[in-house]
Amino acid sequence: MKLNIALLPGDGIGPEVLSQAVKCLQAVEETFNHQFIYREAAVGAFAIERHGTPLPEQTLTLCQKSDAILFGAIGDPKYDNNPEAKIRPEQGLLELRKALGLFANIRPVKAFSSLLDKSPLKKEIIENTDFIIYRELTGGIYFGEKKTNEKGTVSSDLCEYSEEEISRIAHLAFKAAKNRDGKLTLVDKANVLESSRLWRKVVSKIGESYPEVKLDFLFVDNAAMQLILNPKQFDVILTENMFGDILSDEASVIGGSIGLLASASVGEENALFEPIHGSFPQAKGMDIANPIASILSAAMLLEHHNLFEEAMAVREAVDKALKKGVVTKDLNEKSPYGTHQVGDFIADNIVDSDDSFIMNDENIDLGKSTII
């Protein structure tokens, strides 16, 4: 298969983790005889400094013409700490999602068996946790009308949804649940918010077309508590933009590190893949950033294009790295491995599906692996 992939490294550790994901995609190319063409463009604070905008026109054009987009990270303290800033790096990502019609954010959450002790939650609580969050991405309070009075003393953000916006992501979530364990949980605040009542009405109606899927409902405050008390109860979670943003970040504690969570943002024609962690500017250039979320985002890219065997090869290589302890310091503070060594190991262990390889422990200690 030939794929044109737009690379948007972004800010902070974004370029470092993205380069490891590309390294793994190159290993997939070699192993499975594909051709991926990579073209890079600026976004976020990096783009503001060079082009005066977080989403230059040439970046948007490249993304529109590509088969997929692989994203690094976005954000800079220079803008975070300045409430008066009119242009912010994050606006680039929001504008990109809107321009490309990326209405559904898909975030898998899994407790890796070799990392159960890294989570602040008890092993018996998180063991076998495996669910997906479907977050609506282009509506709600993030995109609603925003107002501030002339004195700057009163502000408002409008949370608005249409039936069409709810319906299109609900169908995706129901289809995912149908192919998993058959359970869909809608998270809302229907006891207070009119927009949530519309969500519940629309999703309930659509649910009638998926009789094999059990639909239930949770208010967002209860859902936040249940994610910690009993995450195994969830299969597919469907929710609106802001609730999904908050809950998916909360869910990162289940696996022990936000550096493990990948995501896909999909629309009718375009798809973007990114780790959910931020730009972590304090770690920039220190070779300590966890690249696994970015690498798993590349696996989601492959799966999106029906390259299921290739995606599984990437995930199995990640599992090998976790089981062998080839991880960054966020997962093991005594680990001798850096960002690039972890990426090298995973790329080196992307092999054919027959799994015919031998791991050389001596080379692992040197940050390398041997495939025979």
Side-chain angles (χ1 to χ4, degrees):
M1 178 179 285
K2 181 178 180 180
L3 292 176
N4 293 299
I5 302 174
L7 303 178
L8 306 186
D11 309 319
I13 62 171
E16 298 170 58
V17 297
L18 184 66
S19 66
Q20 306 313 306
V22 171
K23 189 182 295 180
C24 292
L25 287 176
Q26 290 171 334
V28 168
E29 287 184 78
E30 181 178 349
T31 303
F32 294 92
N33 195 29
H34 297 304
Q35 182 183 5
F36 303 153
I37 299 170
Y38 310 94
R39 293 185 174 88
E40 189 173 310
V43 73
F46 181 85
I48 293 174
E49 297 300 319
R50 286 156 180 77
H51 304 283
T53 173
L55 181 63
E57 187 63 34
Q58 56 266 41
T59 299
L60 177 57
T61 299
L62 173 64
C63 292
Q64 290 170 329
K65 293 181 177 179
S66 299
D67 296 309
I69 305 154
L70 199 56
F71 197 94
I74 202 167
D76 190 292
K78 173 182 176 180
Y79 301 92
D80 295 340
N81 299 328
N82 179 12
E84 304 299 324
K86 301 299 182 184
I87 301 176
R88 297 179 180 277
E90 293 78 9
Q91 291 171 346
L93 182 55
L94 294 177
E95 291 171 11
L96 185 61
R97 289 171 177 168
K98 197 73 172 179
L100 297 179
L102 306 178
F103 63 86
N105 183 248
I106 305 166
R107 299 189 178 188
V109 179
K110 179 180 179 180
F112 292 93
S113 58
S114 57
L115 295 177
L116 295 178
D117 63 329
K118 303 301 178 185
S119 174
L121 303 179
K122 294 179 179 179
K123 176 180 177 180
E124 56 267 28
I125 291 176
I126 64 172
E127 193 170 20
N128 299 319
T129 293
D130 185 356
F131 62 87
I132 301 179
I133 298 175
Y134 274 72
R135 165 193 169 194
E136 201 290 322
L137 208 55
T138 58
I141 199 168
Y142 289 175
F143 288 94
E145 182 183 2
K146 304 179 187 309
K147 294 181 181 179
T148 301
N149 69 356
E150 292 183 2
K151 294 182 179 180
T153 56
V154 178
S155 295
S156 66
D157 298 275
L158 178 65
C159 182
E160 187 173 61
Y161 270 107
S162 68
E163 181 176 347
E164 179 184 1
E165 288 174 318
I166 299 168
S167 177
R168 61 187 182 182
I169 188 172
H171 279 290
L172 291 181
F174 272 107
K175 289 174 183 176
K178 181 179 177 180
N179 291 323
R180 288 172 54 89
D181 291 336
K183 181 180 178 182
L184 177 64
T185 302
L186 175 65
V187 173
D188 60 28
K189 194 65 175 170
N191 58 335
V192 176
L193 300 178
E194 197 66 36
S195 57
S196 284
R197 285 189 274 272
L198 179 62
W199 269 86
R200 192 167 288 209
K201 173 186 173 182
V202 172
V203 172
S204 295
K205 182 64 177 177
I206 292 174
E208 296 174 4
S209 301
Y210 298 88
E212 59 275 84
V213 176
K214 179 184 177 183
L215 173 64
D216 64 1
F217 308 92
L218 282 180
F219 294 144
V220 64
D221 41 359
N222 188 21
M225 180 172 64
Q226 293 300 321
L227 277 176
I228 302 302
L229 293 177
N230 183 21
K232 289 194 288 286
Q233 70 182 281
F234 297 110
D235 181 27
V236 175
I237 294 175
L238 170 64
T239 191
E240 60 98 66
N241 204 340
M242 185 172 69
F243 295 163
D245 188 6
I246 295 168
L247 292 177
S248 56
D249 282 359
E250 180 195 5
S252 69
V253 305
I254 294 171
S257 172
I258 199 170
L260 297 172
L261 295 187
S263 76
S265 299
V266 304
E268 298 293 343
E269 298 180 1
N270 302 100
L272 179 150
F273 304 87
E274 61 177 320
I276 78 163
H277 60 66
S279 60
F280 195 16
Q282 302 90 335
K284 181 180 178 180
M286 297 178 64
D287 197 37
I288 61 173
N290 189 340
I292 289 179
S294 188
I295 292 169
L296 290 175
S297 296
M300 294 186 75
L301 183 157
L302 294 168
E303 196 168 53
H304 181 76
H305 290 278
N306 298 319
L307 300 176
F308 300 109
E309 183 181 356
E310 292 85 339
M312 182 58 66
V314 174
R315 292 194 176 98
E316 288 177 349
V318 168
D319 284 339
K320 291 175 193 128
L322 295 174
K323 289 175 181 176
K324 281 286 184 179
V326 183
V327 297
T328 45
K329 292 184 182 298
D330 60 308
L331 295 178
N332 179 3
E333 61 182 13
K334 296 182 179 179
S335 173
Y337 305 111
T339 305
H340 290 78
Q341 288 173 307
V342 173
D344 286 341
F345 178 89
I346 294 171
D348 287 346
N349 280 279
I350 294 173
V351 297
D352 292 325
S353 58
D354 63 1
D355 207 30
S356 58
F357 70 95
I358 297 174
M359 305 250 283
N360 185 317
D361 287 340
E362 182 178 351
N363 278 350
I364 290 173
D365 291 337
L366 295 173
K368 300 179 180 180
S369 63
T370 302
I371 301 174
I372 301 176

